[in-house]
Amino acid sequence: MRFTAAAKVFVLFGDPVEHSLSPAMQNAALQTAGIDGIYIPWRVKSADLPTAFESLRGMENFGGANVTLPHKERAVSLVDTLTKEAAAVGAVNTIVARGGRLLGANTDGQGFLRSLHEEAAFLPRGKPAVILGAGGAARAVSVSLAEAGAEEIVIVNRTIERAQSLAEFVNREIGASAIGLGLDDPRMPARVRDCALVVNATSVGLSPSDPSPIDPSLLQPGMLVYDLIYRPLETVLLREATKRGCQIMGGLGMLLYQGALAFELWTGQQPSEEAMRQALVAAIT
């Protein structure tokens, strides 16, 4: 990597951030594009997030930022304006500097749908989906699936109130059919067995010792099981899904495509997706 004292600084806010491959991917994109810049991870506790955001306003060489777990929803109230996508989702994963003001964007949904289309040849229209989790990533996935015409979206979360709140949001904002259930809801097993797509949008699976976020016996042959976690490449959920004849996807494709969209928002340039992909593969193997 080559950069000078005047380099643009790009930041990833999250807690934790040490597992993230975004620095490897975005630094490869910056270098390939010949941009004088560096992308760094910045672990920030929730209580300190407003201060961290405020520091961006006074940073002359601020180039842009990403926001990851658990801050995507909180970030909505810490920026000056929102893109249409971020407002629709109610979560921010990308911050763009615009004339001293902070623009909150969300590229997760577009990145998710592109990965479904290009890597699994999966079209959501008319198909039921189950989403595990109700945080920022789950919001982006829910809204993108609703806008793509999914038949029914079932949101499953440990805290049922959060699942129901997200389902109501999707119903109200998109006009799609969505329902929120708790993990112990007696209706949940049948909804999982009958769906075409299961998406894990929780952090369960980041640690090798984590169990599957749902009972693997519910997974049926032929359904697509998509884990947004990309490190490790094979989570317990994906391993169990493979045993049961499911089609599987990890989160590497979504990471790449949402990152490419963020890079374009920051720089006005389309990045080399090949350079980004190579950096991701090198970092994870």
Side-chain angles (χ1 to χ4, degrees):
M1 289 176 55
R2 300 184 184 90
F3 55 91
T4 72
K8 290 287 187 181
V9 176
F10 301 84
V11 178
L12 170 65
F13 290 127
D15 182 24
V17 289
E18 59 268 15
H19 69 284
S20 177
L21 298 182
S22 287
M25 173 180 71
Q26 296 292 6
N27 281 317
L30 290 168
Q31 187 170 10
T32 304
I35 294 174
D36 185 14
I38 182 171
Y39 183 106
I40 59 173
W42 186 352
R43 184 174 187 178
V44 179
K45 298 291 185 183
S46 293
D48 299 324
L49 197 63
T51 302
F53 268 62
E54 195 59 34
S55 71
L56 300 179
R57 301 178 190 277
M59 191 185 300
E60 288 188 14
N61 58 341
F62 173 60
N66 282 135
V67 183
T68 189
L69 291 169
H71 303 319
K72 293 183 180 184
E73 294 169 89
R74 178 86 183 281
V76 169
S77 64
L78 299 176
V79 296
D80 300 302
T81 55
L82 296 170
T83 63
K84 179 183 68 175
E85 292 82 5
V89 170
V92 165
N93 83 320
T94 300
I95 303 168
V96 185
R98 292 278 170 86
R101 293 169 63 81
L102 301 180
L103 170 69
N106 194 301
T107 63
D108 279 337
Q110 293 179 64
F112 172 73
L113 286 181
R114 185 178 168 193
S115 67
L116 276 183
H117 296 165
E118 296 194 11
E119 299 182 5
F122 184 93
L123 298 176
R125 182 165 299 279
K127 297 172 184 174
V130 171
I131 300 167
L132 309 177
R139 294 179 78 87
V141 167
S142 301
V143 169
S144 65
L145 286 174
E147 291 178 338
E151 178 186 344
E152 181 185 57
I153 299 166
V154 179
I155 299 154
V156 180
N157 195 59
R158 285 180 300 180
T159 307
I160 188 172
E161 291 79 11
R162 282 177 61 81
Q164 291 173 336
S165 175
L166 178 52
E168 290 167 4
F169 178 86
V170 172
N171 289 328
R172 181 178 66 251
E173 298 298 323
I174 314 299
S177 175
I179 182 173
L181 302 176
L183 276 172
D184 57 353
D185 192 296
R187 296 170 292 175
M188 188 270 288
R191 286 308 214 288
V192 175
R193 292 191 190 99
D194 294 340
C195 77
L197 172 67
V198 174
V199 182
N200 178 33
T202 77
S203 60
V204 178
L206 277 174
S207 170
S209 61
D210 284 348
S212 172
I214 56 168
D215 182 352
S217 68
L218 301 178
L219 305 176
Q220 302 299 307
M223 69 170 50
L224 175 59
V225 178
Y226 192 143
D227 200 326
L228 299 191
I229 291 171
Y230 54 81
R231 195 176 203 176
L233 283 173
E234 185 184 59
T235 60
V236 171
L237 174 64
L238 295 185
R239 187 160 60 248
E240 294 293 336
T242 299
K243 292 178 184 177
R244 288 162 174 79
C246 304
Q247 184 181 4
I248 66 167
M249 286 183 67
L252 216 58
M254 178 178 171
L255 176 68
L256 169 63
Y257 298 135
Q258 65 79 27
L261 289 166
F263 184 96
E264 190 170 348
L265 286 172
W266 296 327
T267 67
Q269 300 182 36
Q270 288 190 341
S272 168
E273 290 185 1
E274 183 56 32
M276 297 172 79
R277 188 183 295 275
Q278 289 179 4
L280 287 173
V281 172
I284 207 167
T285 55

